[in-house]
DNA sequence: CTGAAAGCGCTTACAG
DNA sequence: CTGAAAGCGCTTACAG
C-alpha cells in the first residue's frame, strides 16, 4: 500500500506538507495543494489509521458497548433499532463503530473489555449502561475516555428515555379507557434500571387514579415473547376477571396477545393489551399494538451526537428523551 | 497510561524482553518472566494496540460488513441472529468486531468503506456479500486482506446456506401434505442471491412433483411483515381457492398469517402457511411457524472460524451449510 | 508558505 | 537467554 512518503515523493514535497494538506491546514498555495491531491489520486493513497492513531490519538473509531447479560442483546429488536440511530450519526461523521459486548458480572466487565478500553484504539465510547448489577464505566472514567452512557448509572454525560413518564402514561391510558381490573406483566426487579422506572411510573399513575397498586395482579415475564405468554396465562388463570394487561415491553405484550387468543379471549374486545418500546413489529401485529414509543433510533442518535460533540471539546448537556403514547388497535374502552 | 517502556524500567529489563515475554516467546528464565509479570501487574499495563498495529500489523480487529441496502440491516432479526454466532467466535479468540455498513450502489461500496479497508486497521473481514447489484469484495481482494464472505459472489473463501435445497424441501413439505393450490410470496428477482436460489429450489421441487411452476400464483412481498400481509391479500383476493402460502422468509410469513386471520381464514385449518429462516420469533407465533432453519448463528460462527483459520495461515475449505425443515403448527394436510 | 526532525508505542531480525 | 537499534506510517511543534 502506498504511504505518505510515496505521495510526498510523487508530488515532490515533504511528508509534512502532504499531511497538512490532507488535514485541510490553510496557508498552502493552490499549486502545492494541487500537486499533492494529484499524487494522492494517482497512487490511490489512503491513510494508515494505525500510524495516525499512534501519533495523534485520532482513530475514527468509537466503541459501542452492549453488556452481554440475559438474552437481550441478540434477540431484542430494540437493540438493532437503537443501533440504527448510532450508525446514522457515525456514518455522517465518518466514524466506524466497534461493537463491544463485555460479559458483565457483579465483579464488573471482563478482561477483554478492559483491554479494549485501554488499547488506545477507541476515541470515544457509547455505553449501554443500564444493569444495576454493575456499570461498564469504571475503567472508562479511569482512563478519561470521552463517553456517553445510555442508561441510569451515575455519570456526567448520558441520554435516557423518560421511563418514569412512559410508565405513568401507560397506566393513565388504560385507566382512561375505563379499565380497573388490570394485570401487570413485568420483569424481576433490579435487573434493568429502565424497567424499574417504568414500574415506578405505573405505581405513581395507579395512585393518582385511586387504584391500590399493590393489589394489581403482577407476574414477571422475563422480557421474551414466551415469557409474556406464560405470564399472561398465569394471570388469566388466577384472575379471570381481568380486562387489561399492561406489559413492560412489546415482546412480552406480543406473547400476551397470543396467549389471550389461544384462551379465546379476543383482543381488544375482551382484553386490552398494551406494550412498551414501539419496536418495528408492534405496528404490524394483529391487532396492532398500543405501546409507548421510546424513540429507540433517536436515543442512539442523540447519544452519538453528544459523543461527537464531546470529541470536539464541547460539553453537551445530558438529555432525557420524552416518550410518546402510540394508540393502536389493541386497546379499547372497557365494555 | 503506562507503556512498554515503563514496564521495562520497572522490571529492570529491556523493552524487547517485555515484548517477548508478553507474547509468550519461550527461552526466558522463570525469574525474568516473573519480574516482567510483576511489573505489568504493578502498573496495570495494557498494550497500546495502535503501536502494535503499526509494527506488526496485528490489530485484533475484524470488520463485519453488512451492506446497507433495503431496510434489511436494521429490521431483520436474522441479522442480529447471525451476528450472535460471529460474536461468540470473536469473543473466544479475543478479537473485536468493527461493524461496517457500506452504502452499496451499482458503482460499488462507498468511500468511507474503502477508507476502512485500506486503513491497516482490520486484520480480516467477514462480509455479508449477497446483493447481485455489486460486491463489497473488490477492494478487499485488491489489498489482499484475509476475508470470508457469507453469500454467493465469487470468491475463494465463503460460507453459504444451501438455499436451493431449502427451497426444494419447502415445497416438498407442502406438496407432501397434499396441497396443490399453492400461492408463493416472493421478492423481486435479483435483489438477493439467496432468495433467487430458494426460488430455483421451489421451481425444481414443483417440477419434480409434476406441478407447473409457472402457473403457481406468485406475488412479491418485499421482505417485510407488511409486505407479506399485502401480498397474501392480493393472492387470496385473486385466488380464493388456495390452500397453502409459501413465503421466502419468516417475516413475510408472519404477515401472511395475520392477513389470513384478518380475512377469517384459519391457519392452519383453512390455509397452510410456511416461512423460511427460523428467526427466533417463528417458534413463538400463534400458530408456531413451519419454516426452514438456515442456522443463522452457525452461519456466522462458521464464517468467523474460517476467518480465524485464515489468519493462522491455514486454507479452510468453503462450507455450504445444510438447511433443515422445521415442522410446526402452521402447516397441516389439506382437507 | 514549506520542511527537517522528533516522537507516538510497539515488534523483530540480528548479535552476542 | 537477553538487549540495542531500526522501523512501522503518521503528526506536530519548531524554524526559517
Amino acid at each position: 500500500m502506498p504511504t505518505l512518503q510515496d505521495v510526498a515523493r510523487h508530488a515532490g514535497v515533504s511528508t509534512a506538507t502532504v499531511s497538512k494538506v490532507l488535514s485541510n491546514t490553510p496557508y498552502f498555495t493552490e499549486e502545492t495543494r494541487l500537486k499533492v491531491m494529484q499524487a494522492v489520486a494517482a497512487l490511490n493513497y489512503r491513510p494508515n489509521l494505525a500510524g495516525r492513531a499512534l501519533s495523534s490519538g485520532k482513530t475514527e473509531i468509537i466503541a459501542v458497548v452492549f453488556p452481554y447479560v440475559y438474552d437481550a442483546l441478540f434477540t431484542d429488536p430494540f437493540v438493532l433499532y437503537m443501533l440504527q440511530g448510532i450508525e446514522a450519526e457515525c456514518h455522517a461523521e465518518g466514524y466506524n463503530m466497534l461493537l463491544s459486548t463485555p460479559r458483565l458480572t457483579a465483579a464488573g466487565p471482563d478482561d477483554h473489555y478492559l483491554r479494549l478500553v485501554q488499547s488506545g484504539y477507541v476515541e470515544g465510547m457509547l455505553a449501554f449502561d443500564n444493569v444495576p448489577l454493575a456499570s461498564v464505566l469504571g475503567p472508562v472514567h479511569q482512563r478519561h475516555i470521552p463517553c456517553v452512557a445510555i442508561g441510569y448509572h451515575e455519570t456526567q454525560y448520558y441520554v435516557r428515555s423518560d421511563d418514569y413518564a412512559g410508565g405513568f402514561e401507560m397506566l393513565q391510558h388504560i385507566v382512561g379507557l375505563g379499565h380497573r381490573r388490570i394485570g401487570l406483566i413485568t420483569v424481576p426487579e433490579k435487573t434493568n434500571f429502565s424497567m424499574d422506572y417504568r414500574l415506578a411510573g405505573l405505581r405513581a399513575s395507579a395512585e393518582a387514579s385511586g387504584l391500590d397498586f399493590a393489589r394489581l395482579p403482577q407476574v414477571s415475564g422475563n422480557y421474551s415473547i414466551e415469557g409474556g405468554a406464560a405470564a399472561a396465562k398465569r394471570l388469566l388463570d388466577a384472575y379471570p376477571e381481568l380486562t387489561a394487561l399492561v406489559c413492560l415491553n412489546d415482546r412480552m405484550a406480543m406473547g400476551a396477545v397470543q396467549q389471550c387468543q389461544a384462551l379465546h379471549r379476543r383482543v381488544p374486545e375482551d382484553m386490552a393489551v398494551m406494550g412498551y418500546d414501539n419496536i418495528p413489529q408492534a405496528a404490524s401485529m394483529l391487532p396492532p399494538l398500543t405501546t409507548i414509543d421510546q424513540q429507540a433510533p433517536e436515543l442512539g442518535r442523540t447519544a452519538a451526537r453528544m459523543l461527537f460533540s464531546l470529541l470536539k471539546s464541547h460539553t453537551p448537556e445530558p438529555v432525557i428523551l420524552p416518550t410518546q403514547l402510540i394508540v393502536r388497535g389493541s386497546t379499547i374502552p372497557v365494555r
Side-chain angles (χ1 to χ4, degrees), chain A:
Chain A
M1 303 203 197
T3 70
L4 245 204
Q5 283 256 26
D6 300 328
V7 175
R9 218 167 358 234
H10 192 102
V13 299
S14 73
T15 58
T17 297
V18 176
S19 174
K20 286 170 192 158
V21 165
L22 288 183
S23 62
N24 286 317
T25 310
Y27 309 127
F28 280 99
T29 56
E30 198 49 40
E31 192 196 337
T32 50
R33 193 179 296 281
L34 214 69
K35 276 195 298 191
V36 169
M37 296 317 277
Q38 280 170 349
V40 165
L43 300 177
N44 191 19
Y45 168 77
R46 319 242 173 206
N48 177 306
L49 294 183
R52 170 179 302 176
L54 197 54
S55 70
S56 77
K58 301 287 169 207
T59 60
E60 298 177 352
I61 292 182
I62 66 166
V64 179
V65 182
F66 283 100
Y68 197 105
V69 268
Y70 320 114
D71 72 329
L73 179 51
F74 291 111
T75 51
D76 200 333
F78 173 71
V79 171
L80 210 50
Y81 208 29
M82 191 158 65
L83 214 51
Q84 181 172 16
I86 297 173
E87 196 275 345
E89 284 302 309
C90 286
H91 188 261
E93 295 277 342
Y95 272 65
N96 289 109
M97 297 178 286
L98 193 145
L99 205 57
S100 174
T101 48
R103 271 51 174 175
L104 189 60
T105 65
D110 64 25
D111 208 67
H112 184 215
Y113 171 75
L114 298 180
R115 205 176 149 83
L116 175 70
V117 169
Q118 305 177 194
S119 69
Y121 249 24
V122 296
E123 262 183 70
M125 309 191 83
L126 238 40
F128 196 74
D129 198 39
N130 220 3
V131 183
L133 181 68
S135 169
V136 297
L137 297 180
V140 178
H141 289 150
Q142 198 185 329
R143 298 292 172 159
H144 300 102
I145 297 177
C147 178
V148 176
I150 301 172
Y152 286 87
H153 275 291
E154 194 139 333
T155 186
Q156 189 173 5
Y157 304 105
Y158 61 84
V159 185
R160 294 172 191 159
S161 178
D162 195 343
D163 292 282
Y164 180 88
F168 196 96
E169 230 174 345
M170 205 176 181
L171 201 59
Q172 213 175 24
H173 168 67
I174 292 294
V175 168
L177 293 174
H179 295 278
R180 291 296 177 277
R181 293 169 179 161
I182 303 166
L184 307 179
I185 298 185
T186 60
V187 299
E189 269 185 272
K190 298 187 180 164
T191 58
N192 183 299
F193 281 123
S194 290
M195 292 299 195
D196 290 349
Y197 280 101
R198 289 177 200 174
L199 202 61
L202 286 179
R203 180 191 312 272
S205 178
E207 283 162 10
S209 307
L211 284 175
D212 184 353
F213 185 75
R215 283 236 141 95
L216 295 182
Q218 177 179 341
V219 171
S220 166
N222 247 332
Y223 297 91
S224 69
I225 300 181
E226 293 81 356
K233 178 146 177 44
R234 285 182 52 197
L235 279 173
L236 296 186
D237 284 353
Y239 307 93
E241 72 278 13
L242 293 178
T243 65
L245 295 177
V246 166
C247 312
L248 284 189
N249 73 5
D250 284 346
R251 288 195 295 151
M252 294 193 295
M254 290 168 73
V257 167
Q258 288 172 4
Q259 188 63 260
C260 288
Q261 292 168 344
L263 296 174
H264 305 294
R265 306 262 205 142
R266 289 168 305 163
V267 178
E269 294 84 354
D270 305 327
M271 185 70 64
V273 178
M274 182 163 184
Y276 196 116
D277 280 348
N278 198 25
I279 59 177
Q281 291 82 340
S284 32
M285 291 174 46
L286 208 71
L289 190 66
T290 294
T291 190
I292 301 289
D293 185 5
Q294 66 160 323
Q295 302 192 68
E298 193 57 25
L299 213 54
R301 186 184 287 271
T302 303
R305 256 202 288 263
M306 282 176 62
L307 179 57
F308 290 123
S309 160
L310 255 180
L311 291 179
K312 287 164 190 149
S313 304
H314 305 149
T315 53
E317 290 298 310
V319 171
I320 298 182
L321 279 181
T323 56
Q324 196 190 348
L325 172 68
I326 307 286
V327 179
R328 297 203 185 95
S330 69
T331 53
I332 57 172
V334 70
R335 288 193 294 195

